[in-house]
Amino acid sequence: MQTRIISWDKTDGYAPSDLEDAAEVIRSGGLVAFPTETVYGLGCDGMNADAAGHIYEAKGRPSDNPLILHIADTEELKPIVKDIPDMAKKLMGTFWPGPMTLIFTKTDAVPDVITGGLPTVAVRMPAHIGARDLIRAAGTPIAAPSANVSGRPSPTRAAHVIEDLGDRIDMIIDGGEVGIGFESTIIDVTGSRPVILRPGFITREMIDEVLGTSGDDIVIDTGERGEAPKAPGMKYRHYAPKASMTLVRGDEAEVEEKINELARQYPADKVGILTSDERAGIYEYGIVLSIGSVRDNTLGHDMYAALREFDHIGVKHIYAETFYGTELEDALMNRLMKAAGGQMVDLMDFHRIIFVCRENVTISPMAEMIFKSIVMDKNIEIISRGLVVLFSEPVNRKVTDLLEAHSVPCEEQSSRLLRPEDIDGDPLIITMAFTEKVSVLEQFEDALHVYTLREFVGLEDDVSDPYGGDADAYEALYLELKDLLYKMKKRLGIS
Ligand code: TXA
Ligand code: MG
């Protein structure tokens, strides 16, 4: 098949007859690849079952993996969804048009091939103007998966689409590089609480802000743990480069050292290193590519392009940094873990975690008890110690009362001094204040992993000290610690 390529430009849009031609291909049951703000989509008339069948064929996509319907105006929802729950209205009001897909209960108007037989349908209103113009001109919702061959990284440039689907589809709209670089956030809004089925640029924190939810009110369920995945597409090995890929997680200096060591096992032109713009310069061996810039907030923009580039160069092994602690952590780590097939060298695999403060009667025992209450992994020993413990004292009554009030189990214990034997086996040591970190490092030269709690989760300053304060000050400390400890748990990737 001769694939026609037309273009769309940010300032000039489409050439006059091109948009109409593209819309006509859609209306007559053909396939058009088009840019969106996330990745390129492969579109067809969403109400035409035959056309949708051709999409599965062109991509080599399993037929139980449903498609997203793209709309240009909210009115288009009416014929395709049974109802619009309140939380959906709030989310749509803030994030549409944009990189968010919602799962609704479908009407009979939506063909079963689109939804893989599910009673629900995925809908997104893209922010990309060229995409919305196309949908409007076609006069129908456009069904569109990412425009890649199934199992390949999603396309973020027209060249990627040509590489995968050139001559298998009718038309490709070249709109240059996409803005975001990875697929939309998928949120199931059919239940009592929203469930994130695929993390994306719209983060859990952004959703919390709109819905007034917090902590783990909203779960991310990509279906990787057992049972049937809720977004069927998430079960397939995705985004995979041809080379084998390993993620390396740890603190910055350690990761650099480890990646350099691992990379040197291979010839320099056969090993790829995946990092950010900011850190690309520190590697002097191997083919170094970046997923985007932390500073410019474009992390992920070049991720799929880099994976494809490694394939072209023919590297045999890719070592990738991880992006825990960044705003887009959930989305980026989800894609990178899939690309790596879950392979990770984890330099943060600690078996003992020690919370340290000065006297070990107030803040560090509180952190210990809260952390124990949220960590399920029984292979991790969680303790607390002090730096100045002249004689052993029980935990501050204000702390035990407060924890009891919050139903956090409280163990009877007395303050203990941090000793050399505690440091055996390279534990993670978390202090509450910077001065305590300095003091640990001065006293124990074997202590390799010492951070303040706030530093560990990417923040500055010390944890607030309630000493001399009233009940409110202790309550505030509890809330602060709980928030930080949830972040710490996430950072450690433990259950
Ligand atoms: O950013 C995006 O979402 C891009 C652009 C083109 O809009 N599209 C995209 O489509 O990523 P695709 O087909 O590659 O991914 C669609 C995902 C799949 O994981 C699929 O299983 C899930 O959406 N999905 C579709 N319908 C669903 C439904 N009714 N319930 C649960 N998951 C659904
Ligand atoms: Mg896809």
Side-chain angles (χ1 to χ4, degrees):
M1 187 188 294
Q2 182 73 31
T3 303
R4 182 171 161 207
I5 299 177
I6 65 169
S7 60
W8 176 90
D9 177 271
K10 229 186 216 138
T11 27
D12 302 330
Y14 295 95
S17 63
D18 281 356
L19 176 61
E20 189 38 45
D21 290 353
E24 182 50 32
V25 174
I26 297 283
R27 281 193 297 263
S28 56
L31 307 186
V32 178
F34 62 99
T36 80
E37 72 278 22
T38 55
V39 299
Y40 275 75
L42 177 60
C44 76
D45 178 354
M47 299 292 116
N48 179 336
D50 291 339
H54 293 143
I55 284 197
Y56 287 94
E57 254 166 63
K59 281 184 58 95
R61 177 172 173 122
S63 61
D64 64 346
N65 188 2
L67 309 178
I68 297 173
L69 287 183
H70 294 69
I71 60 173
D73 298 284
T74 37
E75 277 76 80
E76 289 172 80
L77 272 180
K78 262 190 213 129
I80 57 177
V81 313
K82 278 230 170 95
D83 72 322
I84 306 176
D86 281 339
M87 62 177 144
K89 285 184 187 139
K90 288 187 193 152
L91 295 170
M92 287 155 53
T94 310
F95 301 120
W96 271 4
M100 173 185 77
T101 297
L102 297 179
I103 307 291
F104 296 96
T105 307
K106 83 177 193 78
T107 64
D108 294 339
V110 182
D112 281 339
V113 265
I114 298 288
T115 65
L118 291 173
T120 51
V121 62
V123 187
R124 172 160 112 82
M125 187 193 291
H128 196 284
I129 293 169
R132 287 212 309 280
D133 283 349
L134 176 67
I135 299 163
R136 280 200 195 100
T140 178
I142 293 187
S146 49
N148 51 286
V149 161
S150 227
R152 298 272 296 137
S154 292
T156 57
R157 299 170 192 170
H160 300 159
V161 182
I162 297 169
E163 176 177 283
D164 278 17
L165 300 173
D167 76 28
R168 286 200 219 176
I169 61 179
D170 300 283
M171 189 183 263
I172 295 172
I173 300 171
D174 184 348
E177 288 184 17
V178 300
I180 292 174
F182 48 91
E183 309 83 346
S184 61
T185 306
I186 303 181
I187 311 168
D188 184 347
V189 289
T190 60
S192 54
R193 288 172 176 199
V195 178
I196 300 176
L197 302 182
R198 180 174 72 186
F201 190 79
I202 305 297
T203 62
R204 188 214 315 245
E205 289 71 23
M206 291 159 77
I207 300 168
D208 277 339
E209 205 166 313
V210 172
L211 298 181
T213 44
S214 65
D216 48 7
D217 285 348
I218 299 181
V219 293
I220 301 182
D221 181 5
T222 55
E224 266 118 31
R225 279 177 231 119
E227 7 71 72
K230 306 233 171 58
M234 301 304 280
K235 77 181 172 199
Y236 298 104
R237 182 162 181 235
H238 262 77
Y239 325 117
K242 288 177 189 145
S244 72
M245 180 163 156
T246 305
L247 308 181
V248 182
R249 178 168 84 151
D251 74 25
E252 294 189 352
E254 271 182 329
V255 166
E256 175 188 344
E257 192 185 332
K258 191 72 188 175
I259 287 184
N260 275 323
E261 173 198 322
L262 290 166
R264 279 170 212 272
Q265 308 170 90
Y266 303 90
D269 60 342
K270 291 285 178 252
V271 62
I273 294 172
L274 192 58
T275 176
S276 59
D277 287 4
E278 284 75 13
R279 285 172 56 84
I282 67 178
Y283 295 102
E284 285 165 3
Y285 186 88
I287 314 275
V288 183
L289 295 177
S290 160
I291 71 161
S293 153
V294 180
R295 197 174 37 236
D296 302 343
N297 208 9
T298 60
L299 273 188
H301 178 264
D302 302 322
M303 174 170 61
Y304 288 140
L307 294 179
R308 282 176 182 262
E309 182 66 17
F310 282 135
D311 281 353
H312 287 154
I313 297 170
V315 308
K316 292 284 174 265
H317 208 100
I318 301 167
Y319 293 105
E321 294 188 343
T322 60
F323 296 88
Y324 292 101
T326 63
E327 268 172 55
L328 292 172
E329 157 177 339
D330 292 324
L332 298 173
M333 292 314 302
N334 170 271
R335 306 311 192 276
L336 291 172
M337 281 295 262
K338 276 173 185 282
Q343 274 196 92
M344 171 142 84
V345 171
D346 194 351
L347 304 168
M348 288 239 191
D349 187 13
F350 297 107
H351 297 285
R352 186 185 309 131
I353 296 174
I354 314 177
F355 292 102
V356 173
C357 68
R358 242 177 83 80
E359 293 168 355
N360 190 218
V361 290
T362 302
I363 314 185
S364 65
M366 189 150 150
E368 175 195 339
M369 312 284 186
I370 298 173
F371 204 58
K372 275 182 177 153
S373 77
I374 62 174
V375 170
M376 303 297 132
D377 189 335
K378 293 288 168 250
N379 294 318
I380 303 171
E381 182 192 6
I382 300 165
I383 61 175
S384 66
R385 294 289 185 263
L387 294 167
V388 187
V389 181
L390 300 179
F391 47 90
S392 204
E393 278 183 85
V395 176
N396 184 339
R397 267 297 292 276
K398 286 181 182 151
V399 170
T400 49
D401 289 351
L402 182 69
L403 291 175
E404 238 156 68
H406 286 284
S407 316
V408 174
C410 230
E411 288 160 31
E412 288 250 348
Q413 65 183 38
S414 323
S415 56
R416 293 174 66 174
L417 188 67
L418 182 66
R419 294 180 182 284
E421 55 269 31
D422 296 322
I423 314 285
D424 281 350
D426 189 19
L428 172 62
I429 302 174
I430 297 289
T431 71
M432 302 300 128
F434 180 70
T435 51
E436 294 155 2
K437 171 180 162 173
V438 173
S439 154
V440 171
L441 289 169
E442 277 171 2
Q443 290 181 53
F444 303 93
E445 58 180 41
D446 291 344
L448 300 176
H449 294 97
V450 190
Y451 309 85
T452 75
L453 177 54
R454 291 180 62 90
E455 167 193 32
F456 191 74
V457 300
L459 302 168
E460 285 171 6
D461 303 328
D462 296 345
V463 167
S464 52
D465 186 345
Y467 184 76
D470 58 8
D472 286 349
Y474 281 83
E475 177 67 19
L477 171 66
Y478 169 77
L479 293 174
E480 179 184 357
L481 284 178
K482 192 173 150 198
D483 182 55
L484 294 169
L485 291 166
Y486 263 109
K487 292 196 169 103
M488 174 172 156
K489 180 182 158 185
K490 197 165 155 195
R491 189 92 207 246
L492 286 166
I494 57 180
S495 59

